[in-house]
Amino acid sequence: MGYRLLFGLVLVLAACSARGDFTAAPAGPVAGMPEAIFVGTTRVADANGFGRDRADQASFVRYDIAIPPDRQPGEVNWPPKTRKPDAERDFLTLDETRFASAPEFKAALGTAMGRRGQTDAVVYVHGFNNTMAEGVYRVAQMHHDLKVPGVAVHYAWPSRASALGYVYDRESAMFARSGFEDLLKEVKAAGGRQVVIVAHSMGAALTMETLRQMVLRNGPGALDQVAGVVMISPDLDVDVFRSLALEIGDLPDPFLVFGSRRDRVLGLSARISGSGERLGNLKDLAKIDDLDVIYLDTAAYNVGTGHLNLGENPALLRLFGGLIGIDEAFRTDARARVGLLPGLVLTVRNATEIVLAPVGAITDGP
């Protein structure tokens, strides 16, 4: 990789994820809306939390995060070092509970699902260049802003949390496959009958590898509990995705991919990898047109680098609020409902491409 490309990678990828750490809420009542995030992680635990090193044994945690009322949808507001934390404006940690064992985690998760009268869970998988706090706070933000009905679970794999750690993170994602499979088993054992996986960036590659591993080990029935998969800006070679999908067989239904033709991060990833494009910035669905996939192009709603439009763009959050969950609108009849979306629907064999655009852009014409 040339010096200029490497320098550009640092500038762009470092900008796509603000550095942040857990900040405890001040004593007393907190104005923010609490979100409980159950976490399984293969990061090494130490006195300071969970770092970048890889752990052979998973750890299990619950974080209670306060979502501040004074913010725009899509924003994760980190407390600046220049003032005291403010519960009106900042994301803050209300509580952290480390479970001594997987059975304790399973029991607590089962209780949470029972309290909400649900047997559904959404399992989020973070992407490249994330600290533990960044992953947890982003999950809390998305779960809240998208109004997801199920219990939030997060798989935190050991990212180096550095713009220069691309290769380390890619190898960590492969290391973390069995840990992710074990977490899905714990969710099922806790009573989770319907699970939706939401994977961002490099987390999509980890998800595909894990689903393939589950099918090869236990047959197609291994994915019965997976009610749907949502991939956001997947950093995954298109040929590799196709190969994995064919080995998996019947993909979970629905299987949604939110991409952007103008995703700058994936553009750089494609150059690093030596491929023309990644799954998350496809311009032509020809290579996946025989797969049962719905592809949504969010380029018209790009925010920043365009690498997390679904999580950061207020218009998309409003559009998909209540749909990115485990409800009937997001399952087998997903295609029947795409007419509700302000976009253009183009069907190519089984793959459906939805090019999202503001209503005015369609009404007024080009």
Side-chain angles (χ1 to χ4, degrees), residues 231-279:
M231 292 189 170
I232 304 171
S233 305
D235 187 1
L236 178 59
D237 181 271
V238 180
D239 293 330
V240 172
F241 171 72
R242 176 177 173 77
S243 173
L244 292 170
L246 292 176
E247 291 193 59
I248 291 169
D250 292 333
L251 293 173
D253 185 15
F255 195 107
L256 307 186
V257 176
F258 286 83
S260 170
R261 290 164 292 166
R262 298 199 294 267
D263 187 324
R264 292 161 56 199
V265 172
L266 293 184
L268 285 170
S269 174
R271 293 181 65 183
I272 294 170
S273 304
S275 60
E277 54 189 355
R278 311 298 277 173
L279 179 62

Side-chain angles (χ1 to χ4, degrees), residues 3-26:
Y3 173 79
R4 290 182 180 178
L5 176 58
L6 179 60
F7 183 68
L9 176 68
V10 172
L11 290 181
V12 175
L13 297 192
C16 77
S17 180
R19 298 282 70 127
D21 205 349
F22 293 104
T23 302

Side-chain angles (χ1 to χ4, degrees), residues 48-132:
N48 298 318
F50 295 89
R52 71 183 192 183
D53 292 332
R54 302 159 182 157
D56 291 330
Q57 297 295 322
S59 298
F60 299 96
V61 196
R62 168 178 163 154
Y63 292 97
D64 294 303
I65 307 299
I67 310 292
D70 185 12
R71 70 178 184 94
Q72 292 296 318
E75 291 181 347
V76 175
N77 299 345
W78 301 97
K81 297 180 180 179
T82 55
R83 61 167 171 79
K84 294 181 179 180
D86 182 351
E88 290 284 343
R89 293 181 286 174
D90 305 326
F91 276 64
L92 299 173
T93 304
L94 299 171
D95 193 21
E96 174 187 336
T97 303
R98 296 196 188 188
F99 299 100
S101 64
E104 286 189 15
F105 171 81
K106 178 180 65 178
L109 179 58
T111 299
M113 288 190 288
R115 188 180 300 120
R116 299 181 66 161
Q118 296 175 340
T119 57
D120 299 332
V122 180
V123 182
Y124 298 86
V125 187
H126 69 78
F128 165 64
N129 188 13
N130 273 252
T131 67
M132 182 71 157

Side-chain angles (χ1 to χ4, degrees), residues 94-304:
L94 299 171
D95 193 21
E96 174 187 336
T97 303
R98 296 196 188 188
F99 299 100
S101 64
E104 286 189 15
F105 171 81
K106 178 180 65 178
L109 179 58
T111 299
M113 288 190 288
R115 188 180 300 120
R116 299 181 66 161
Q118 296 175 340
T119 57
D120 299 332
V122 180
V123 182
Y124 298 86
V125 187
H126 69 78
F128 165 64
N129 188 13
N130 273 252
T131 67
M132 182 71 157
E134 287 164 356
V136 170
Y137 279 29
R138 178 59 72 182
V139 167
Q141 173 264 313
M142 291 186 64
H143 201 75
H144 176 82
D145 288 346
L146 285 167
K147 301 178 178 62
V148 180
V151 175
V153 181
H154 177 44
Y155 182 54
W157 52 274
S159 167
R160 186 181 175 187
S162 167
L164 295 177
Y166 188 86
V167 174
Y168 180 92
D169 277 18
R170 187 164 60 184
E171 292 177 347
S172 283
M174 296 302 98
F175 162 84
R177 290 170 293 186
S178 293
F180 186 29
E181 180 179 355
D182 290 343
L183 176 62
L184 292 174
K185 290 178 180 177
E186 294 297 338
V187 174
K188 181 178 181 180
R193 297 180 184 176
Q194 300 289 335
V195 176
V196 168
I197 299 172
V198 179
H200 177 232
S201 188
M202 199 175 285
L206 166 57
T207 296
M208 288 298 293
E209 290 279 357
T210 301
L211 296 180
R212 171 185 177 272
Q213 175 174 293
M214 292 170 66
V215 168
L216 292 181
R217 284 180 174 178
N218 303 303
L223 304 185
D224 286 349
Q225 77 177 116
V226 181
V229 173
V230 182
M231 292 189 170
I232 304 171
S233 305
D235 187 1
L236 178 59
D237 181 271
V238 180
D239 293 330
V240 172
F241 171 72
R242 176 177 173 77
S243 173
L244 292 170
L246 292 176
E247 291 193 59
I248 291 169
D250 292 333
L251 293 173
D253 185 15
F255 195 107
L256 307 186
V257 176
F258 286 83
S260 170
R261 290 164 292 166
R262 298 199 294 267
D263 187 324
R264 292 161 56 199
V265 172
L266 293 184
L268 285 170
S269 174
R271 293 181 65 183
I272 294 170
S273 304
S275 60
E277 54 189 355
R278 311 298 277 173
L279 179 62
N281 66 350
L282 272 181
K283 299 177 179 64
D284 182 359
L285 268 65
K287 286 189 176 181
I288 61 170
D289 64 6
D290 59 338
L291 301 178
D292 196 8
V293 173
I294 299 175
Y295 195 99
L296 301 101
D297 190 334
T298 65
Y301 294 88
N302 263 21
V303 175

